[in-house]
Amino acid sequence: MLGEVSKILAKSSMAIAFTGAGISAESGIPTFRGKDGLWRKYRAEELATPEAFKRDPKLVWEFYKWRIKKILEAKPNPAHIALAELEKMGIIKAVITQNVDDLHREAGSKNVIELHGNIFRVKCTSCSYREYLKESDRIGWLLSQELPRCPKCGSLLRPDVVWFGEALPEKELTTAFSLAKKADVVLVVGTSGVVYPAAYIPYIVKESGGIVVEINIEPSAITPIADFFLRGKAGEVLPKLVEEIRRISK
Ligand code: NAD
């Protein structure tokens, strides 16, 4: 099956990747729904919400600072690197991710569409202030704050991520849907496919006549529509695909 998928990818003119927390699991970042997904006694769904932030911003910031520290320790794994390679080879045109960990960019992917924001960005709860802390070199500053405040207006800052119950960034969602309509192949990697509207992506590809290739350690909500299901760890399957595509493209 890997051979067949490699041939399809080598011939494709507009492949995209759609990734979820599972692609970063081998980098040591727990998924939300996996058995390591708990923080203290809380489930992420209880903390990553606007209501939780309103109720107890200190607790929510504590959770996010913990996540930022964990993610800072993580490095892109062979799966992120393989997707960046596929982009360099001209096969993948974009990576649409539900992850907030920035690891696709760290791995060298250039066209990354973040549907759920980025944990290294903050935004003001009152004014239009936004900051990408990696660029401004202020991650250390953020981690030293109990309740970080906007440098412009003094209001509370919040993580620039999409919380449960919130709308996705319009520009990113429109771009992602339009890429999905045009894609002839989508590689669906490490997602349970239950978080909407992001999970529409593989359905849009399928309905537009594209091929759905799924890589996951276990079946997901997407599996019933997958044309190919490559069962295994993303960090093992994706490098094999790249190797095979290189071999047949020589
Ligand atoms: P999820 O936790 O619902 O599902 C993870 C999926 O990855 C599962 O289907 C699991 O079987 C699979 N998986 C686990 N390890 C794998 C591996 N090594 N190789 C291949 N597949 C593997 O994640 P989701 O679908 O992305 O939805 C959770 C939401 O939570 C996302 O929208 C995201 O915003 C957020 N989140 C992000 C991160 C991150 O940025 N790294 C981490 C946790 C949660």
Side-chain angles (χ1 to χ4, degrees):
M1 206 190 283
L2 197 111
E4 211 176 326
V5 172
S6 306
K7 276 186 207 149
I8 289 168
L9 280 170
K11 274 198 242 147
S12 87
S13 54
M14 167 78 209
I16 58 170
F18 173 57
T19 67
I23 196 169
S24 297
E26 290 161 77
S27 292
I29 303 173
T31 62
F32 275 180
R33 288 174 187 79
K35 57 179 180 331
D36 306 319
L38 285 181
W39 177 69
R40 299 196 191 153
K41 61 185 165 44
Y42 302 99
R43 291 159 53 82
E45 287 93 328
E46 294 166 33
L47 293 166
T49 69
E51 293 76 25
F53 191 69
K54 228 177 185 172
R55 202 167 46 233
D56 197 345
K58 269 187 197 159
L59 179 74
V60 173
W61 261 120
E62 218 183 307
F63 168 61
Y64 275 94
K65 287 193 287 181
W66 170 79
R67 285 196 71 202
I68 287 172
K69 281 187 209 149
K70 284 259 158 228
I71 291 174
L72 278 174
E73 287 164 13
K75 286 195 182 66
N77 68 55
H80 299 103
I81 293 164
L83 289 183
E85 288 287 305
L86 289 173
E87 187 180 338
K88 274 191 211 118
M89 290 158 79
I91 291 172
I92 277 187
K93 303 295 188 262
V95 176
I96 301 167
T97 189
Q98 301 167 85
N99 295 346
V100 297
D101 58 30
D102 227 3
L103 288 181
H104 286 299
R105 218 170 271 122
E106 292 273 325
S109 286
K110 300 282 180 239
N111 194 15
V112 182
I113 295 145
E114 291 166 326
L115 291 178
H116 292 163
N118 184 310
I119 200 156
F120 296 108
R121 284 202 317 251
V122 289
K123 63 179 181 184
C124 181
T125 50
S126 298
C127 74
S128 59
Y129 186 80
R130 272 191 149 91
E131 184 175 341
Y132 179 40
L133 297 157
K134 265 192 190 169
E135 215 166 57
S136 56
D137 209 10
R138 293 217 308 154
I139 298 172
W141 167 81
L142 180 88
L143 294 176
S144 73
Q145 304 295 301
E146 201 173 42
L147 278 177
R149 301 244 158 220
C150 175
K152 238 179 157 182
C153 76
S155 300
L156 215 54
L157 287 173
R158 57 161 280 181
D160 193 1
V161 299
V162 177
W163 283 331
F164 292 98
E166 288 188 315
L168 272 64
E170 214 176 294
K171 188 171 147 250
E172 278 78 359
L173 191 62
T174 311
T175 309
F177 280 5
S178 114
L179 282 164
K181 271 191 202 131
K182 288 186 269 178
D184 53 9
V185 185
V186 61
L187 284 177
V188 180
V189 189
T191 176
S192 55
V194 296
V195 180
Y196 280 89
Y200 283 126
I201 305 281
Y203 292 90
I204 296 173
V205 176
K206 182 96 179 176
E207 274 163 22
S208 317
I211 295 170
V212 177
V213 177
E214 183 180 29
I215 300 166
N216 201 312
I217 49 169
E218 57 186 44
S220 75
I222 308 294
T223 315
I225 65 149
D227 297 285
F228 298 93
F229 179 59
L230 303 177
R231 191 172 189 146
K233 289 185 176 177
E236 291 169 11
V237 177
L238 277 167
K240 276 191 206 146
L241 264 183
V242 173
E243 204 180 301
E244 183 58 15
I245 294 170
R246 284 226 168 89
R247 196 185 67 77
I248 59 175
S249 310
K250 265 185 194 158

